[in-house]
Amino acid sequence: MAEEIDDNEFYRENFSADSDWEVFNAQLGEILQKWDVSADSESRNLKSEEIFSCNWKVEREKLDMLRNGIEVEYHQAILEDEELAREETKEHTCLQRTSCHHDLMSTGNSFGPPITSSQDLHILARIYGLRRFIVLHPVNATLNYMKSTSEFNFFLSAVAVVSAEVQSVVPIFVQIYDPKWNYYTGVALAPALRTNFRLIGLEKAPPECRFLMGLLTLFREKVPTSYSQAAMISVCTTYALDTMRIRMPMYVPFDHGLSSEDIVVDGEVSHLEVQQFYALPHGYTPESRTEIYLVYTWPELSEHVAFDSEQRSDFVPSKAPLGKVYLSVEASSYLSCCLRDYQSVAEVTRSLESFVGRNFSGTSSGAGAASNPLDRITEHKLSKRRERSFELPSQAGLTKQLPGPMTESELSELLAYLFPDMHPEMALFPYAKKSFTDKFDPMRIKSAVPDSLVCRLSCLLATCHAHLGSVEGMAQVWAAFTRQLRLLWDNSLTVPGISAGFPDTRTCLLHQKLQMLNVCVERRVQREANSKRKSEGLVGKASAEEEQLEEEDEDDDEGEFFDCDDLTAGAGSPTKAVLSLKPEGRLRRLNDERLLEEPDEYLYIPETQEPVPKTEDQLQDDAEVMLKLGPGSGLTTQMMCTSLLSDMEAFKAANPRGTMEDFIRWYSPKDWEEVTDELGQVKQQLSIRMTTEGNTWQKVWEQAQAVPVSRQKRLFDDTNEALKVLHYMETRKMHEIYNLTIIPLLHSAILKLAHILSNAKLDDLFSSQIEKLLSDLCRLSRSHSDELPPIKPLLDDLAELERRFYQFKCFERLSGYPKKSSLQQVKLQFEEILRNDNCCTIVNRRLTAAGDGTLYDILIPKLEADMAERLISKDYIIRLDGDTKSTEKGLYLGPQFMRAIVTGEKLRLCGAFTESTAFV
């Protein structure tokens, strides 16, 4: 006997709760209302190929359904706003016609480019030419795609119900099966009309369905008999020519073995012409190629005009009214690869010593390096001062004992490129003096003079990182470079390849540091020369006095005191002011100006210390210190007025009876103003900012004593500053070296590419792209953020320009240059390729007769030889719109659309069939 069942505990289900289908409908309805899909503002007809060239806006929302959720995407073309033409407004007065119907009947957007364009255009926009549509698909579509009929019906029924509720005029699609197959089913509603979108695919289609006649029969079976007019046909055939390869072998500077690695690759060799040397690689990888497609189009025909079957076809290239050639390029440049690889150094935080060892800089290098350290203790303190040698210093030990992948001879070759004056026997690329006097605008790019030491070093580091030892080779080169700098400083030689003058804060920091080192060397040489002349003068004066004393035979034991010379004063010892009124340190008169309180005495310009140079990081450190101390701090005033105090002391020494007014007349003439008093008399006086109580200038003037420049402490210690620069260069980590060199590297790479284009006589063709790269680099180099902005967009643009250059070389070969066409003709046609996204028109019977174009005459013979084998796809579109009489009566039957894509034996049918819902 069956067990007794308790009805109170069995079959308990709350039928009042919302089902999953109802919940999904409510969520989808809220999203559609937020997107305002009921509005149909874009009612004008689309321009020709506007769908494929305009920008797209995509909005996304996620719904919690079907395991991992459903994503809803709203794709909308951004069209240029235009007023509707009067004829167009009168023609489409029927309220039933929506933008979806306009798009399906638009013949100008039937066929897009056969290759992937620069923008990712959705497959539905390519198939149906829709300007707006919504797509539903699983979040992880590649793993959890819809594959059962129940799931199809669940979402398709929900889409239909929600569309009707919100009165949506935008087609809504549901993605089914594996995403790589691109299968969609959808629906679009309009007043009294419903358009059903269906896609099917056949791996082996019946032979009659691969041609127009069979497709027309299939189309007529799907269309109601109320459509009495003839259907309109659009046909597109695509042919593939042989893939073109042009070998531009890899060239790596300072390495003679890597440039032959791709000799085995087929293709004609075309070496790049580079007259100006850059330490960067060039050439293209062996996989670089250009695929060429010929596309012939019949935009609009009646179904009764054309014939296409297995026996005979009217759709042959010689009868096509419109023909285009498309070039699909896959090219990778060694220059772009080198720059991309160099980006990885930004993540390397290891120090330089971890690669090349400690004490790599050779601070004890030179003549005294091999001496016994104990000898320095017993060495006489008054040893003879080292004389400056104008001969080349010894290079012994400069490249030895530096661990790394490169040998000593290889490293010497690189140093000869950086310092050609130091290696005359190996120097092949001396610095051109005129390059540093050419017009270079530092206000634009914060880099350095092209082909300067900074640019050469930056290019060399990137090349070493990519081809000559990775990060270890790069560290080895930087260590050898810093050794060379220290050798130049020890021998009082300036760094070559650097702009003269003080550190220019408009240039990159590395260039400023080397400029600072050169200033230190120049100050050192000048100081030593002055000391030498002063010492010789004192010795001569002392000998003359001794002779005079011997002649006079004076026995005066009273001691005498002499002023300290430059050597003693320059050592930084404290000095006392000269209390006498004897003027010292006069340079020249200030015109005929006289002292205000002593009209009989002239006003003299004093000898002053030269300005103190500072690099950008030093200025920033000073600003941070003064900001922390505050404006009222005495240390802040001292930092700001050090140079002013020195000039005031020199002025008082040169003009003992001078006043602050006299000083202002020379130092800041703008603060010496002419004023008119109440009696109308003109007199001169200090400006308001100089007479304000507590003025800094007055405080400093009161503190200043009469000390000539020869007795002042040096404001700029060249030895200390030079050692700071050398220490800065030797203690950089690898990512810091990257930050110092990336901007000059990119600048040099752009200039090298511009030089290659100029040698190929293409600078006018790509001038706008080069200018854009330089403008982007300008913004990148002058970023105010502490971290360097991402350079990937700039590298992508640079790689795209190199890809375009390879594309031009292939197109040049395709056009028969120089035998069958001139360079000017090729450039004019390539300009069209640049404008039209890799497309160029070779025949247009609407404008010219077939065969008038040179490119057409060249390509047609190649195609007709084996036309059947080169045919890769045929694309048929059959359209049928409501008849005119029904539209005039206000009854719109709706569009009927079917697209057939034939690829060999495969067939894909994409249909959009409209039915009336007036009596449903």
Side-chain angles (χ1 to χ4, degrees):
M1 186 175 179
E3 295 183 2
E4 187 174 345
I5 300 176
D6 186 3
D7 294 339
N8 294 328
E9 297 180 0
F10 196 66
Y11 291 126
R12 286 188 177 181
E13 184 174 354
N14 186 6
F15 290 98
S16 63
D18 295 334
S19 63
D20 294 340
W21 187 80
E22 292 172 327
V23 173
F24 177 76
N25 285 8
Q27 294 177 349
L28 182 60
E30 292 178 358
I31 294 175
L32 296 184
Q33 288 179 348
K34 183 176 67 173
W35 287 340
D36 194 17
V37 294
S38 61
D40 196 17
S41 58
E42 299 288 345
S43 57
R44 68 168 177 85
N45 286 338
L46 294 172
K47 300 178 183 178
S48 179
E49 298 185 356
E50 188 175 10
I51 286 293
F52 310 105
S53 60
C54 68
N55 296 322
W56 285 78
K57 176 183 177 182
V58 181
E59 300 181 55
R60 292 179 174 87
E61 293 285 347
K62 184 179 178 181
L63 301 179
D64 296 331
M65 288 292 295
L66 194 64
R67 297 183 295 276
N68 291 330
I70 294 293
E71 190 171 38
V72 186
E73 296 179 351
Y74 181 26
H75 297 258
Q76 185 175 9
I78 304 176
L79 307 178
E80 297 180 359
D81 294 331
E82 289 185 354
E83 295 183 0
L84 297 176
R86 294 182 180 179
E87 294 79 9
E88 197 175 38
T89 306
K90 293 180 180 179
E91 180 183 359
H92 306 304
T93 55
C94 182
L95 297 178
Q96 294 174 303
R97 185 185 291 268
T98 65
S99 60
C100 173
H101 302 153
H102 286 298
D103 298 343
L104 291 174
M105 294 295 104
S106 175
T107 58
N109 292 274
S110 300
F111 309 107
I115 58 180
T116 303
S117 60
S118 57
Q119 60 176 347
D120 295 329
L121 187 63
H122 199 278
I123 186 65
L124 291 174
R126 296 176 63 89
I127 292 176
Y128 295 108
L130 299 174
R131 72 186 79 183
R132 294 196 300 169
F133 56 90
I134 296 173
V135 180
L136 279 70
H137 63 84
V139 174
N140 296 325
T142 55
L143 301 176
N144 302 318
Y145 51 83
M146 304 180 193
K147 52 188 176 181
S148 63
T149 306
S150 60
E151 289 178 327
F152 304 163
N153 295 334
F154 179 92
F155 290 102
L156 194 59
S157 61
V159 163
V161 171
V162 175
S163 297
E165 290 179 353
V166 301
Q167 297 181 353
S168 171
V169 295
V170 179
I172 305 178
F173 295 85
V174 179
Q175 187 176 27
I176 59 178
Y177 298 119
D178 197 329
K180 65 181 179 181
W181 295 345
N182 288 323
Y183 280 111
Y184 296 87
T185 179
V187 63
L189 300 181
L193 293 176
R194 171 184 173 129
T195 303
N196 298 307
F197 296 88
R198 298 291 185 270
L199 279 79
I200 63 171
L202 300 176
E203 287 293 323
K204 189 172 183 179
E208 61 274 9
C209 292
R210 303 175 199 164
F211 298 91
L212 179 60
M213 297 297 102
L215 293 173
L216 281 172
T217 303
L218 182 62
F219 180 76
R220 282 297 180 182
E221 293 177 355
K222 293 287 295 182
V223 175
T225 56
S226 56
Y227 291 83
S228 58
Q229 68 274 27
M232 301 305 296
I233 312 298
S234 299
V235 181
C236 176
T237 58
T238 304
Y239 300 85
L241 298 184
D242 294 334
T243 301
M244 182 172 293
R245 298 177 184 270
I246 298 180
R247 289 200 303 110
M248 299 183 186
M250 176 175 64
Y251 169 76
V252 178
F254 307 108
D255 190 285
H256 308 290
L258 294 177
S259 302
S260 59
E261 66 175 10
D262 56 349
I263 289 182
V264 297
V265 181
D266 295 333
E268 186 173 348
V269 179
S270 176
H271 293 279
L272 294 177
E273 297 181 4
V274 181
Q275 298 177 356
Q276 186 173 352
F277 182 80
Y278 292 89
L280 287 172
H282 60 253
Y284 290 83
T285 58
E287 297 80 13
S288 300
R289 66 184 184 276
T290 299
E291 297 177 355
I292 305 169
Y293 300 94
L294 298 180
V295 179
Y296 296 94
T297 307
W298 290 259
E300 192 171 6
L301 297 173
S302 176
E303 64 173 312
H304 303 304
V305 173
F307 184 85
D308 180 54
S309 66
E310 294 182 79
Q311 292 75 25
R312 182 177 66 85
S313 177
D314 293 335
F315 302 120
V316 293
S318 58
K319 298 181 180 180
L322 185 63
K324 296 182 179 181
V325 57
Y326 287 85
L327 277 70
S328 176
V329 181
E330 293 184 8
S332 179
S333 166
Y334 290 111
L335 176 59
S336 295
C337 294
C338 175
L339 299 178
R340 293 185 188 279
D341 292 342
Y342 194 61
Q343 281 186 282
S344 61
V345 184
E347 307 298 329
V348 180
T349 58
R350 292 175 57 184
S351 64
L352 193 61
E353 291 183 349
S354 64
F355 291 96
V356 296
R358 300 184 62 182
N359 197 24
F360 67 90
S361 59
T363 53
S364 59
S365 63
S371 61
N372 189 351
L374 297 178
D375 293 341
R376 300 178 63 88
I377 302 177
T378 59
E379 183 181 13
H380 197 280
K381 298 299 181 181
L382 301 179
S383 59
K384 184 178 179 181
R385 171 171 287 274
R386 172 183 52 82
E387 298 290 338
R388 184 191 178 200
S389 175
F390 289 91
E391 298 179 357
L392 291 178
S394 174
Q395 304 290 317
L398 190 61
T399 58
K400 290 182 179 179
Q401 299 178 355
L402 269 182
M406 284 178 282
T407 63
E408 181 180 348
S409 60
E410 293 173 340
L411 204 56
S412 299
E413 186 180 7
L414 302 184
L415 289 178
Y417 171 64
L418 296 176
F419 303 95
D421 297 340
M422 306 293 293
H423 305 77
E425 73 284 353
M426 302 175 61
L428 298 177
F429 308 100
Y431 290 107
K433 294 183 179 179
K434 64 177 183 179
S435 65
F436 298 101
T437 59
D438 290 344
K439 184 178 180 181
F440 171 67
D441 187 8
M443 293 299 294
R444 186 173 186 188
I445 300 176
K446 196 176 179 66
S447 176
V449 178
D451 198 38
S452 62
L453 175 60
V454 173
C455 293
R456 290 190 179 190
L457 176 64
S458 303
C459 297
L460 204 58
L461 292 175
T463 301
C464 291
H465 178 265
H467 301 284
L468 304 177
S470 188
V471 185
E472 290 77 8
M474 173 183 165
Q476 189 180 11
V477 171
W478 183 267
F481 170 74
T482 57
R483 276 189 177 184
Q484 187 79 50
L485 293 181
R486 187 169 288 275
L487 180 66
L488 292 174
W489 166 251
D490 291 341
N491 292 272
S492 299
L493 298 175
T494 57
V495 182
I498 298 298
S499 301
F502 280 16
D504 190 352
T505 56
R506 300 172 300 177
T507 60
C508 63
L509 183 58
L510 179 58
H511 186 261
Q512 296 178 43
K513 291 293 183 181
L514 297 180
Q515 280 184 314
M516 174 66 82
L517 188 59
N518 274 353
V519 171
C520 294
V521 171
E522 293 171 358
R523 294 280 182 92
R524 179 183 187 180
V525 172
Q526 181 182 3
R527 177 170 51 81
E528 292 179 354
N530 292 337
S531 299
K532 184 176 181 181
R533 287 195 300 268
K534 185 72 173 179
S535 300
E536 292 176 353
L538 291 176
V539 171
K541 182 178 179 181
S543 60
E545 290 179 353
E546 289 178 1
E547 293 177 358
Q548 184 178 2
L549 289 174
E550 290 178 358
E551 293 177 358
E552 297 179 356
D553 195 18
E554 295 181 357
D555 297 331
D556 188 5
D557 295 334
E558 184 180 355
E560 294 186 14
F561 295 89
F562 298 93
D563 296 336
C564 62
D565 58 0
D566 290 347
L567 182 63
T568 307
S573 60
T575 59
K576 295 183 179 179
V578 180
L579 301 179
S580 64
L581 297 179
K582 180 183 177 180
E584 294 185 75
R586 287 179 172 179
L587 182 63
R588 65 178 185 274
R589 291 181 182 177
L590 180 62
N591 300 326
D592 293 330
E593 298 290 335
R594 296 178 182 269
L595 299 180
L596 295 177
E597 296 184 357
E598 299 290 337
D600 296 336
E601 293 189 15
Y602 286 98
L603 177 61
Y604 286 89
I605 299 176
E607 294 179 353
T608 58
Q609 297 194 45
E610 296 185 13
V612 178
K614 286 183 180 292
T615 57
E616 187 177 22
D617 57 337
Q618 291 176 327
L619 293 174
Q620 186 176 0
D621 293 341
D622 292 346
E624 291 178 356
V625 170
M626 287 189 290
L627 187 62
K628 291 179 180 179
L629 293 175
S633 174
L635 186 58
T636 303
T637 305
Q638 182 179 353
M639 292 177 61
M640 296 174 59
C641 303
T642 303
S643 179
L644 178 62
L645 177 62
S646 172
D647 294 340
M648 285 184 173
E649 291 181 342
F651 182 85
K652 285 187 174 182
N655 303 276
R657 294 181 175 84
T659 61
M660 181 178 174
E661 286 78 3
D662 297 323
F663 176 78
I664 296 299
R665 289 162 59 199
W666 160 66
Y667 202 83
S668 181
K670 293 183 178 180
D671 289 303
W672 186 247
E673 301 175 345
E674 291 185 358
V675 295
T676 305
D677 57 9
E678 298 177 353
L679 301 178
Q681 295 181 354
V682 177
K683 63 177 183 178
Q684 293 180 325
Q685 64 180 20
L686 293 176
S687 63
I688 297 178
R689 78 183 187 105
M690 290 295 174
T691 57
T692 305
E693 186 178 356
N695 184 272
T696 304
W697 290 64
Q698 294 179 356
K699 292 181 179 179
V700 176
W701 178 261
E702 294 173 357
Q703 297 175 3
Q705 299 183 18
V707 182
V709 67
S710 60
R711 291 177 174 81
Q712 292 181 6
K713 182 179 179 180
R714 280 187 293 167
L715 298 178
F716 178 74
D717 190 346
D718 49 70
T719 303
N720 188 29
E721 292 299 328
L723 294 179
K724 284 182 181 180
V725 172
L726 295 175
H727 178 75
Y728 177 87
M729 306 291 282
E730 293 163 356
T731 56
R732 294 302 92 191
K733 296 182 179 180
M734 300 310 296
H735 71 280
E736 294 173 335
I737 297 176
Y738 168 84
N739 293 333
L740 288 173
T741 56
I742 184 61
I743 298 299
L745 171 63
L746 295 176
H747 190 196
S748 301
I750 296 174
L751 294 180
K752 172 167 184 165
L753 185 54
H755 183 67
I756 293 175
L757 297 175
S758 178
N759 287 340
K761 300 179 181 180
L762 302 177
D763 44 355
D764 56 337
L765 191 61
F766 296 103
S767 59
S768 60
Q769 289 90 330
I770 292 292
E771 188 66 24
K772 182 180 181 300
L773 286 173
L774 293 175
S775 299
D776 293 342
L777 182 60
C778 174
R779 290 190 293 269
L780 190 70
S781 65
R782 300 196 174 276
S783 174
H784 298 291
S785 60
D786 296 335
E787 297 182 359
L788 186 69
I791 65 172
K792 185 179 181 303
L794 181 65
L795 294 181
D796 293 341
D797 293 340
L798 185 65
E800 174 65 17
L801 182 56
E802 291 189 282
R803 190 184 70 86
R804 287 294 189 181
F805 174 71
Y806 186 88
Q807 186 182 34
F808 176 85
K809 300 301 289 185
C810 293
F811 184 73
E812 186 181 58
R813 190 73 51 82
L814 180 67
S815 303
Y817 174 81
K819 296 181 179 179
K820 297 182 180 180
S821 60
S822 63
L823 182 61
Q824 190 63 27
Q825 290 176 332
V826 177
K827 290 167 69 173
L828 287 175
Q829 290 177 322
F830 193 78
E831 285 180 355
E832 184 181 354
I833 291 179
L834 295 177
R835 290 193 308 267
N836 299 336
D837 200 7
N838 304 313
C839 166
C840 175
T841 302
I842 57 177
V843 58
N844 191 345
R845 295 179 187 271
R846 300 175 181 178
L847 303 178
T848 60
D852 289 350
T854 304
L855 194 58
Y856 178 86
D857 299 334
I858 296 173
L859 297 179
I860 282 296
K862 296 181 180 181
L863 184 62
E864 291 180 345
D866 48 357
M867 186 183 304
E869 289 76 9
R870 295 187 182 276
L871 179 65
I872 59 175
S873 70
K874 295 186 297 181
D875 206 340
Y876 301 94
I877 296 180
I878 307 175
R879 294 183 175 92
L880 191 58
D881 206 352
D883 58 350
T884 307
K885 295 182 179 180
S886 300
T887 305
E888 291 176 353
K889 297 178 181 178
L891 299 175
Y892 180 55
L893 299 178
Q896 308 295 338
F897 176 96
M898 188 179 78
R899 187 186 197 114
I901 305 173
V902 181
T903 307
E905 295 184 349
K906 298 181 181 180
L907 172 65
R908 166 166 287 207
L909 293 176
C910 312
F913 297 99
T914 304
E915 59 185 7
S916 176
T917 59
F919 302 103
V920 175

